[in-house]
Structure formats: structure tokens, C-alpha cells
Amino acid sequence: MIPALLQRSGLSRENVMDTPPHDANAREIPSKVLVTGAGGRTGCIVVRKLLELGVGPAKQFSKVRAMVRSQESAERVSRAVGGLMGVETVIGDLTSKGSLDEAFRGMDAVVVCTSAQPRLCKVSLAKTIAMQVVTLGHVVGRPEFWFDEGLGPEQIDWLGQKAQFEAAEAAGVKHIVLVSSMCGTRPQHFLNTHMENLVLWKRKAECALVRSGVPYTIIHPGGLLPHSGGLGSSAEGRKRQLCVGVDDELLDDKAKAMVTREDLAEVCVRCLLEPAVSVGRSFDLGSWPEGEGTPFEGRVGELKALLETLGGRNATYREADAAFVALESRPERAACAFEEPSRRPAPPARSAAEAVGGARHRGASARTVRGHSRK
């Protein structure tokens, strides 16, 4: 797909995107922080860590606001923060400008944790396992994934994030910390080939943020621990030495290509508290295996030392990244033909205008629709 895109657009991977300089005055530690996608696994942790620093008079923050897409997500945030006080939870909708404007109003900084949520096609998983058994492991396949209608990568990770950046700019937000993902430079990676170009849409959104003029920090975490279902390595924070890179170079060393959600959230918070170090930076985040090196504990100076290992390098954004569009129609997934109708893959994505403007409000709250997903 990418070679076809480049050929038709006249762009090449060598066309580096011009980026405006970030605001040299964006050095003030924020007092009012909004977390979007706060009902997700990473977003909940970011909210908790902000509350742990204190909210209220004479505290680190005067306001912490969590934006979620449903009452169920709001309850998830409440459970995640336990007895910590001070969070203001709002139900918002990425497809509604009015909803976003209300959520972003008065905020100094935003941590964006929204992301499309892939669903596993169980029939394809069974076929994948059966193929490996029959071939004694000589043939290794991949299961298929799908997204709820209107909640795919194009709608959430491109249009939804772009709408957030525009709302932030209109509200005078001084710093956006965006949680994205590695694999934005690798179109043939599983996350792109089997998940509707998930990270390529994220990369396109990053380009929009960089060009927006809003001071930013962009973090590309590797594989997030714990894995779905709680499997995999330990997911406790402050037990691993973190490492950074750019343009997916950490993927070449699988031992460093994973990071715990706890440590990712810790880095997000440190980026807010140390804007002089973090504004204008775009980097990949991984970690050493637990027990190796010196764990990152979120102390003052640790983030600066971590980013200094990059030698001033940032992610490289190219015109091809900014121009990305899904030129080819979505492939049919026959393997999912026996799924229940409500759980089948979504039909081909609607146009940008339809995706942004066609959503209807539902439920008791005038701002609540299923147009908002999260990490």
C-alpha cells in the first residue's frame, strides 16, 4: 500500500516534513490537566498518578479532569483511583466539536490517551491455532482483528485526535502529551497489516499535531505490559530501566521493545512537570528486562537524563506520513463470516465528513456517544 501511495502522491520517504519551531515560552508547569481516553488501561493510570501528586489549593494541580466516553468508563476511572480525591470526570465525544470544546475549556495541558480498540476475530484465531498444529508449527499465521463501526483507526486515531488538537488550540492549551505507538515507520508491521493501518493513522495525526503550533510531546511506547488478559512479564512500575529511541529503532532489539503501562504513565506525568525538557520532543519508549539496569522512579532529573541519551534526535516526520490515506478498499475477512452480526468487521470507513459529522447523540447525556475510544 505504501509504495502505491508514494507513487500516486509524488512523495517519497526522503521528503522530510517542515515543522514549525515549538513555543519557546511554553515552559510553565500546568495547573489544570485534562486526560482524554481516561477510561482506558493507560489513561486510568495517568489520572491516578496525577491525583497522587495532589489536587487542590497549595497542591501540585488545581484541577484534574478525566474525559471518558460513557458512564461505564467513568466508573472504571473511579475504581482505578481508589480513595484519591480531586478528579472531575466528564463524558465526551470525539465527533462533537461542542463536546470537545467544553471538555478542553480552561485546561493548561492535555494528555491524549485515546486509541481505537481492535477486537479479535475468534474464528480466525481458531484457524490460526489449527494451522500451527496441523503443520507442526511450520506455518505460522496471524489472527484477524476488527473494529466497531465508526470506531476504527481512521475515525479515532486520525480524525478524533485531530479534533482534539484543534480543540486544544482553541482553548489555549499550553502543552499536549500524546501517547501514540511504535511501528509508525513500518507499514508492513502486524499492527498495520492486520489492524487497518492503526499506527499509520496515528502517525498522520502526529504530523497534524507537530504542525498545529501547540507545544507538544509525543511518546511512542513499545508493547504495553501487561498484555491483554494479564499474560506476560511483570507490569509493576519503577522496576525497569527505561530506554528511548526514534523511528522504531528499538524494535530491532525485542528485549527493549516493551514497557509497562505504569512506567509509560509515569513518563507522561514527568513530561508535564518538566516542560523545559519535554516540549518539542518525539521519541520511542521501551525498557530493559526487569532486574537489569537502574529502574526509572520518576524523580526530578531522570527524564532529562533519559532524553539526553538521544543526543538531540527526534522522530522524523515525512510528507508521506502526513499525506497517508487508505487507498485500497478494506479486504474482506471471510474468516469472520460466522461471527454474530453485531460483532462482524465494520464496513469500509466513511468519508472524513461523514465520520466527524454523522454521529448522533445518545443516552441521557447530550454529550455521550460511542465515538470515543481509549488506550
Side-chain angles (χ1 to χ4, degrees):
M1 178 182 296
I2 293 300
L5 166 66
L6 299 180
Q7 182 178 9
R8 298 181 204 183
S9 65
L11 301 174
S12 75
R13 282 285 180 190
E14 276 58 58
N15 294 125
V16 178
M17 191 180 81
D18 291 330
T19 58
H22 53 78
D23 186 355
N25 297 318
R27 296 292 181 269
E28 183 179 340
I29 297 176
S31 172
K32 301 175 183 178
V33 180
L34 168 67
V35 180
T36 65
R41 299 173 71 188
T42 301
C44 281
I45 301 173
V46 173
V47 172
R48 170 169 56 78
K49 288 186 176 292
L50 292 172
L51 296 182
E52 287 173 346
L53 292 173
V55 180
K59 301 291 185 178
Q60 181 67 65
F61 303 106
S62 64
K63 179 175 289 188
V64 171
R65 181 179 293 166
M67 177 176 163
V68 298
R69 68 184 178 93
S70 66
Q71 184 59 39
E72 180 183 358
S73 294
E75 293 169 358
R76 189 180 303 117
V77 172
S78 180
R79 291 192 298 271
V81 302
L84 295 172
M85 304 297 292
V87 64
E88 174 191 336
T89 304
V90 298
I91 297 176
D93 169 17
L94 297 187
T95 70
S96 167
K97 181 179 183 300
S99 174
L100 289 176
D101 287 346
E102 184 175 346
F104 281 68
R105 185 176 296 118
M107 295 293 101
D108 300 323
V110 180
V111 182
V112 176
C113 296
T114 54
S115 179
Q117 297 297 300
R119 295 181 181 273
L120 175 64
C121 176
K122 296 179 181 178
V123 174
S124 74
L125 176 61
K127 289 186 175 182
T128 299
I129 295 173
M131 181 62 71
Q132 293 184 25
V133 172
V134 170
T135 64
L136 301 179
H138 292 292
V139 176
V140 179
R142 293 277 195 177
E144 295 291 340
F145 293 83
W146 55 278
F147 297 84
D148 288 331
E149 183 175 2
L151 299 179
E154 182 178 4
Q155 290 78 30
I156 300 299
D157 296 284
W158 161 231
L159 296 172
Q161 289 193 358
K162 180 173 177 287
Q164 291 179 75
F165 306 153
E166 292 169 351
E169 184 176 12
V173 167
K174 301 172 184 176
H175 190 184
I176 293 177
V177 176
L178 172 63
V179 178
S180 187
S181 176
M182 287 191 207
C183 305
T185 69
R186 302 196 178 188
Q188 299 307 317
H189 190 277
F190 174 75
L191 292 177
N192 293 313
T193 60
H194 285 63
M195 296 189 187
E196 300 179 15
N197 300 306
L198 175 65
V199 192
L200 299 185
W201 287 117
K202 289 179 182 290
R203 194 79 166 188
K204 183 179 178 74
E206 293 171 35
C207 293
L209 175 57
V210 169
R211 281 177 162 165
S212 71
V214 180
Y216 66 85
T217 304
I218 300 172
I219 306 173
H220 307 112
L224 293 173
L225 299 173
H227 297 302
S228 297
L231 302 177
S233 303
S234 168
E236 293 184 50
R238 302 186 177 187
K239 288 197 171 185
R240 293 168 176 255
Q241 178 170 321
L242 302 186
C243 52
V244 291
V246 297
D247 298 330
D248 296 328
E249 62 189 13
L250 294 182
L251 292 175
D252 296 330
D253 185 346
K254 292 183 179 180
K256 298 179 182 178
M258 294 188 292
V259 65
T260 69
R261 294 178 188 273
E262 288 279 346
D263 285 333
L264 169 59
E266 189 82 61
V267 170
C268 289
V269 173
R270 293 314 311 178
C271 286
L272 293 175
L273 297 177
E274 301 181 53
V277 172
S278 65
V279 166
R281 304 308 303 268
S282 180
F283 57 91
D284 301 347
L285 181 66
S287 66
W288 291 81
E290 187 175 321
E292 298 184 20
T294 303
F296 184 90
E297 297 182 344
R299 296 189 299 265
V300 174
E302 283 187 295
L303 179 64
K304 179 179 179 181
L306 181 65
L307 294 181
E308 283 178 346
T309 64
L310 292 174
R313 295 183 301 149
N314 280 306
T316 302
Y317 293 103
R318 307 185 185 280
E319 293 294 345
D321 299 325
F324 173 75
V325 291
L327 294 177
E328 301 175 8
S329 61
R330 184 175 304 171
E332 294 296 330
R333 292 188 175 88
C336 292
F338 298 102
E339 294 282 354
E340 297 176 9
S342 62
R343 298 180 61 82
R344 288 177 184 167
R350 297 169 292 174
S351 68
E354 291 173 327
V356 172
R360 296 181 178 178
H361 295 292
R362 302 173 185 169
S365 171
R367 295 183 294 154
T368 306
V369 303
R370 291 183 59 80
H372 178 195
S373 197
R374 75 283 182 195
K375 284 189 177 60

